[in-house]
Every structure is written in structure tokens, then in C-alpha cells.
Amino acid sequence: MNYKIALLPGDGIGPEVIEQAVKVLEVTGEAAGHCFSFTEGLVGAVAIDRTGNPFPDETLAICRSADAILFGAIGHPRYDNDPSAKVRPEQGLLRMRSELGLYANVRPVKSFPALAGMSPLKEETVAGTDIVMIRELTGGIYFGKPRGRSEDGLTAYDTCTYSRYEIERVVHLGCRYAMQRRKKVTVIDKANVLATSRLWRETAKKIAGDYPELEMDFMFVDNAAMQLIRNPSVFDVIVTENMFGDILSDEASVITGSIGMLPSASIGLSASLYEPIHGSFPQAAGKNIANPVGTILSAAMMLELSFGLAKEAGWIVRAVEEAVNEGVVTSDLDAGNPHSTSEVGEHIRGLVKRLSDNG
Ligand code: IPM
Ligand code: MG
């Protein structure tokens, strides 16, 4: 089969890590008899520099005509310290989510046994952590209107809005995930305070009726923030709204102590987008030191979720596990004996080739 992939390397270390994922995808395609064709688009600070727009229409067109999108990172320190900047890289990200209908962000949080000692939490707390965190991505306070300032400039407001439909589609997604796993969904909200959260709870409870084998429970977001680091293994699938998910998914990403390893998928109404969860890490840009594994595993998620190539995705995941076990990792995981970004990418490519030869 022929699959069209939009490549959006973006800012900072984005281009370097994307390059490694492309290597791995190419060898996987050759081994399985599939053709992956790549079309590159501009996004983020680099897109602002070249076109004045962080998500140009041309990039939107590339994404719309692709079967899936592989994304690096967005953001540049030039904008972080300048709240008055009119055009910001992050606007590109939000426009992309909204234009492409990327309604759910899915982040698996699973500990690699070989890296158990790297977590800031106690090893026994982290052991057995295996969570899928699902964040609603195109609604809530990120997109609600009205937003802005009062005429005298002394008051500012944002609006959190959710429709039943927006809640239903993401809760259904969470339930489908859970049915393939340990059959538990935790819906996280603030229903003791917020009207939107009460609609979430009411809607989710109705949906639970469609999945009689499933256990659904509810947790307030403040308590969930605590439980996530106290006892992460109580969670199977988490579903939550946009802003709570933004905060909790960063918290969840450090549980395993290996943020450079974690992939994510943003499920779209047509094409979906895959990206590592780490940011643009500008201090490391161009130095060939960034960990490419989060992006390589994002490519594996793409094969499985967008193309249904579960066997091929499995080669990549196993190759990554082997590379980690052999100690072929970047400096974030082994400062004493670091390998470069491209060495890790090459090594994983070689392992995929070998695993695919063995079927
Ligand atoms: C994320 C990021 C973005 C968000 C920012 C960069 C707008 O934090 O993808 O989680 O808040 O959604
Ligand atoms: Mg975030």
C-alpha cells in the first residue's frame, strides 16, 4: 500500500528527531512492502520567519491531503519572554488542532522496566504504571468565546464551553480504548464547581450504559493530580477536558522519568497527528543530542492507529526496547555513556530491519 504522510518538523529539535523517525519508517516500509511518501510543511516559529504565519494555508493543504501527520515540536524562546508578540508559534498549534478537527490527544504512559530507576517517584510506586491519558483537544476554555479584556483593560475573561457532542465523542474513544485494556475509565472533572464538568459527568454516565463490561469512575481534578503521583497504577484509561488534560498530562509524563521516550496521537476527524510529547528543547537544537525515541514511537502509533499496521508497529516498539536494554540511548537516559540522536536512530533502524527479517 501507499501511504501519504505529512511531515511537520517545526522548531528546535523537531527536525532532528523527525529525521530519525523517517529513517525508521522507510526501513519498515521496505520490509513490509509498503510505500510511505513524505511531504514536508512549515509550522511554528520557522513558519513565522518564512511566511509570517505559524500555520500557513499551504501546510493546512498538505495535512488535509495526507493519510496521517508526523509532527516534531513547536516553540521558540524569542516568543516565550515577549507577551506582547502578536503572532506566536502556539497559535499555529491551536489553529492546526481546530482546522484538522484533532479532537482527542492520546498519551500512553508506561514505564520501561530498564528505566524504572529514572523516575522521580519511588520505584515501587511507579512499578506497573500503564495509563492511557485522553485529553479533549478542541473545546473548553482553549477555544470558548467570548474571551478578551474589558474596555478599561482592568478585567480579562476566558469562557469554558462544552457541548454534549464534544464530550460524547471523546468519552466514547476512552471507552473503546479501555475495552481493549483493563476495562476501567476514570473521568476527571471539577463537577463540584463547574457547570461544564457537570455536563461531562452526566454525559459520561449515560455513555457508560453502552459498555456494560466497563467500570467507569469519576474523580475531581485536584484529587486526581494527587493520586497520579501517589498511586499511578490505579488508573487505566483517563478521559478529561482540554485544560485539565494539559496540566495532568505533563504531570503524568514525568512519572516514568523518561519524557523523551513518550509518544502521542491526536485523533482527527479525518487524518490524525502523531508527535512526541516533549517540546522544542531549543538549548539542544542542532547538537545531535536530543532523544529521538518519542518521535520514533509516535511513528509506530501512526502505523497502528492510522494505517492498521500493528505488526510493523510492533517491530518498532521491540526495536526501541532492545536499544534501551543495550544502553544505546541519548544523554538524558545515560549521561555517562551517551549516544547521539542519529546513532540512536541508526541503531533502531538496524534493529527494525533485523526484527522484520525474522518476521
Ligand atoms: C501542549 C502544549 C500546548 C497546549 C501549548 C503549547 C499551547 O502545552 O500541547 O500540551 O497547552 O495545549
Ligand atoms: Mg501542555
Side-chain angles (χ1 to χ4, degrees):
M1 278 279 287
N2 192 12
Y3 300 97
K4 284 197 282 184
I5 300 172
L7 278 187
L8 310 186
D11 300 322
I13 58 173
E16 299 160 59
V17 292
I18 287 281
E19 193 185 322
Q20 309 315 313
V22 168
K23 278 182 197 170
V24 172
L25 281 171
E26 276 171 349
V27 77
T28 308
E30 277 159 31
H34 297 301
C35 175
F36 300 122
S37 59
F38 301 98
T39 311
E40 213 170 300
L42 289 171
V43 69
V46 12
I48 300 178
D49 291 345
R50 300 224 196 127
T51 70
N53 182 343
F55 187 62
D57 290 342
E58 196 189 336
T59 306
L60 176 61
I62 292 172
C63 293
R64 286 231 166 102
S65 66
D67 299 312
I69 303 154
L70 189 62
F71 176 66
I74 216 171
H76 192 283
R78 186 164 71 237
Y79 299 93
D80 293 345
N81 302 320
D82 180 9
S84 69
K86 289 243 160 10
V87 186
R88 317 179 63 82
E90 289 79 7
Q91 291 163 340
L93 193 63
L94 297 179
R95 174 159 181 244
M96 179 167 83
R97 288 175 185 168
S98 155
E99 295 271 5
L100 298 172
L102 303 175
Y103 68 92
N105 182 250
V106 179
R107 294 184 175 191
V109 178
K110 197 173 171 184
S111 58
F112 280 78
L115 301 177
M118 305 220 34
S119 172
L121 305 180
K122 291 199 197 84
E123 241 181 279
E124 65 264 28
T125 308
V126 181
T129 298
D130 180 1
I131 306 172
V132 172
M133 162 94 67
I134 301 182
R135 164 187 175 191
E136 199 289 326
L137 205 56
T138 51
I141 201 163
Y142 272 63
F143 293 94
K145 295 213 174 63
R147 53 170 50 215
R149 288 268 184 119
S150 61
E151 249 163 54
D152 64 8
L154 300 180
T155 310
Y157 44 90
D158 296 288
T159 307
C160 185
T161 345
Y162 268 108
S163 68
R164 175 166 295 185
Y165 168 70
E166 287 173 308
I167 301 166
E168 278 168 355
R169 62 183 177 183
V170 70
V171 172
H172 272 296
L173 183 74
C175 292
R176 291 199 298 271
Y177 261 90
M179 288 304 290
Q180 309 292 319
R181 296 170 42 93
R182 301 194 303 280
K183 299 193 168 55
K184 182 175 171 194
V185 176
T186 304
V187 176
I188 295 176
D189 62 27
K190 190 74 185 173
N192 48 349
V193 178
L194 300 177
T196 42
S197 284
R198 287 194 279 274
L199 182 63
W200 267 79
R201 218 172 252 227
E202 183 190 301
T203 307
K205 276 188 180 151
K206 281 201 187 112
I207 289 175
D210 297 344
Y211 302 86
E213 287 170 52
L214 208 73
E215 177 197 346
M216 184 182 285
D217 64 2
F218 296 87
M219 206 181 267
F220 296 139
V221 60
D222 45 353
N223 181 31
M226 185 168 74
Q227 299 307 333
L228 257 180
I229 50 168
R230 217 166 74 156
N231 194 5
S233 58
V234 301
F235 296 105
D236 176 13
V237 174
I238 289 174
V239 183
T240 191
E241 62 115 81
N242 203 344
M243 172 92 125
F244 299 157
D246 177 46
I247 299 166
L248 293 178
S249 59
D250 266 27
E251 185 188 2
S253 71
V254 298
I255 294 173
T256 62
S258 48
I259 188 165
M261 311 282 290
L262 301 180
S264 77
S266 293
I267 306 299
L269 297 173
S270 49
S272 297
L273 175 143
Y274 300 84
E275 65 176 305
I277 69 157
H278 61 69
S280 59
F281 196 12
Q283 304 82 346
K287 294 191 182 152
N288 201 18
I289 57 173
N291 190 343
V293 167
T295 315
I296 291 172
L297 289 176
S298 299
M301 273 183 102
M302 176 171 82
L303 295 186
E304 181 168 359
L305 299 181
S306 282
F307 306 157
L309 302 175
K311 180 183 73 187
E312 292 81 350
W315 296 338
I316 298 178
V317 173
R318 290 214 314 278
V320 165
E321 280 164 359
E322 262 192 66
V324 171
N325 290 337
E326 293 166 358
V328 181
V329 294
T330 41
S331 60
D332 50 317
L333 300 182
D334 188 354
N337 179 27
H339 292 70
S340 69
T341 307
S342 47
E343 277 167 358
V344 172
E346 275 305 326
H347 190 70
I348 293 171
R349 186 228 300 252
L351 289 168
V352 168
K353 172 115 193 41
R354 214 189 62 213
L355 286 163
S356 62
D357 286 344
N358 299 337

